[in-house]
Every structure is written in structure tokens, then in C-alpha cells.
């Protein structure tokens, strides 16, 4: 028996607006971000979620708490859903890294992308895949919601789509959208992507 796992990225934050790398650090949701999140339960309620999981990082946890209030669900923390560790790049902006010539070589590495002192994309995929597979087994026959981060969403979906995670590939993920996975027997499959919230 399978489980439906819905993935959603946290609401917009101050550092998102500045194009600043957050990784495991944190910044607060913007006013617009909090307003957007408060409206999501109207759409999400139709899925009949029986459980709500979240990355323990503040921006995801705050998003999940707001969704939980709207959906009548308590939030359970899942460490496997945390964002990629960006090491010494944490707090820097994308334009700063580009102008210093640091970003392009890492982007060209695809799945081997590993910020200095940080975590490889392959590691993000391994731990998030394990977490989602485990949650799927624990909730067979039901639907659950997981609040996570862009790095996790990309890693899982790109792996399932067979992408090389290279900058030459077309962008396919909406920044704030719902993605549905079907979990069964330790396997994950994409059921839908980029659904509006």
C-alpha cells in the first residue's frame, strides 16, 4: 500500500529577498511570506492530510506551524528534511559568489556540488530520500504534508527525473508550489509537480 507525500518549501524569507544563502542558518519570514503561507491551508485542506512534518530549521518550522493551525494538525520535526549545509558560503549572496568566480565551478559539478565546508548534493539526496521513504512506510494508505527547503525539493525531484543538476538544464520548479510524491516499498515516484498553492 502506498502513501502520498506532499512537499512544500517554506514561505519567503528576508534572505530569500536578498538572494542570500541561508543553508542551515535562518532568517525570518517576510510579511508577504507570512501572508502567503496563511492562505495555503485553503488549498491544502482538500488533500485530507493525516500528518504534518517539517524541517526543524526556523523558517520551515514557522511555515509548518501556520499550516498546522489552518489544517488542524500538530507539527512533527524531521531532521532529514533540513536544507543543504553551505559551510563558509552561508550568509553570502549569489552575486557575491558569482563576481568572485566561486559559483560557476561548483555549479558545473552537478550532483558533486559541495560548498566549502558544506554538504554535497548527493548527501542531501541520500538523507532526504531516506526520511521520505521512512515517512511513507509509516503512513501507508494515507496522505502527509512535509515542509522543507529548495535544496531538498530539487534533489529529490531532479533525481526522480534523471536530471544532471547542471545550470544548462532548463528551470522546471516553481518557487512556491506543491509537489506530490507516491511512496511505496521504499521507492518514490512523482505524482504531480508545481501545483498552485
Amino acid at each position: 500500500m502506498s502513501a502520498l507525500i506532499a512537499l512544500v518549501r517554506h514561505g519567503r524569507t528576508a534572505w530569500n529577498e536578498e538572494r542570500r544563502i541561508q543553508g542551515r542558518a535562518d532568517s525570518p519570514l517576510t510579511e508577504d511570506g507570512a501572508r502567503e503561507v496563511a492562505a495555503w491551508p485553503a488549498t491544502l485542506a482538500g488533500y485530507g492530510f493525516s500528518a504534518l512534518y517539517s524541517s526543524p530549521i526556523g523558517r520551515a518550522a514557522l511555515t509548518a506551524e501556520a499550516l498546522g493551525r489552518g489544517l488542524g494538525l500538530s507539527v512533527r520535526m524531521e531532521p532529514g528534511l533540513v536544507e543543504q549545509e553551505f559551510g563558509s558560503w552561508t550568509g553570502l549572496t549569489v552575486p557575491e559568489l558569482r563576481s568572485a568566480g566561486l559559483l560557476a565551478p561548483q555549479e558545473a559539478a552537478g550532483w558533486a556540488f559541495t560548498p566549502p565546508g558544506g554538504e554535497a548534493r548527493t548527501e542531501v539526496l541520500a538523507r532526504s530520500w531516506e526520511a521520505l521513504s521512512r515517512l511513507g512506510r509509516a503512513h501507508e494508505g494515507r496522505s502527509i504534508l512535509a515542509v522543507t527547503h529548495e535544496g531538498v525539493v530539487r534533489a529529490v525531484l531532479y533525481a526522480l527525473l534523471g536530471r544532471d543538476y547542471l545550470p544548462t538544464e532548463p528551470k522546471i520548479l516553481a518557487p512556491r508550489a506543491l509537489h506530490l510524491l507516491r511512496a511505496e516499498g521504499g521507492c518514490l515516484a512523482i505524482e504531480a509537480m508545481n501545483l498552485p498553492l
Side-chain angles (χ1 to χ4, degrees):
M1 191 177 295
S2 67
L4 183 73
I5 303 176
L7 295 180
V8 65
R9 184 187 177 194
H10 60 80
R12 283 185 292 164
T13 71
W15 279 17
N16 288 154
E17 299 292 319
E18 298 169 10
R19 297 188 69 200
R20 196 172 296 282
I21 294 171
Q22 295 181 104
R24 303 282 177 85
D26 209 13
S27 74
L29 298 185
T30 62
E31 287 185 15
D32 285 344
R35 256 195 306 275
E36 284 178 348
V37 168
W40 292 352
T43 300
L44 296 173
Y47 290 91
F49 296 121
S50 62
L52 170 59
Y53 289 88
S54 176
S55 154
I57 296 175
R59 59 192 183 273
L62 286 173
T63 299
E65 286 165 13
L67 298 181
R69 285 192 296 274
L71 297 170
L73 295 170
S74 59
V75 182
R76 307 180 205 184
M77 296 302 164
E78 173 48 63
L81 298 176
V82 298
E83 179 60 292
Q84 182 175 7
E85 171 58 64
F86 274 84
S88 62
W89 285 5
T90 302
L92 299 178
T93 66
V94 172
E96 285 170 343
L97 291 171
R98 286 211 187 283
S99 65
L102 299 173
L103 194 54
Q106 283 292 342
E107 286 179 321
W111 282 100
F113 177 109
T114 309
E119 182 182 23
R121 284 173 172 164
T122 52
E123 294 174 298
V124 177
L125 175 62
R127 65 168 164 76
S128 56
W129 189 285
E130 186 282 326
L132 293 170
S133 298
R134 175 168 34 82
L135 294 178
R137 288 191 297 273
H139 296 278
E140 288 184 349
R142 290 174 284 175
S143 301
I144 64 172
L145 177 61
V147 180
T148 185
H149 305 268
E150 184 176 28
V152 169
V153 173
R154 278 190 183 184
V156 172
L157 294 181
Y158 283 12
L160 289 169
L161 291 167
R163 288 169 66 97
D164 294 322
Y165 220 136
L166 293 171
T168 52
E169 294 174 320
K171 295 187 186 219
I172 57 167
L173 297 183
R176 297 289 182 278
L178 187 68
H179 311 285
L180 303 180
L181 301 177
R182 183 66 61 181
E184 185 169 11
C187 296
L188 300 174
I190 297 172
E191 187 148 305
M193 288 171 47
N194 295 328
L195 298 174
L197 283 163

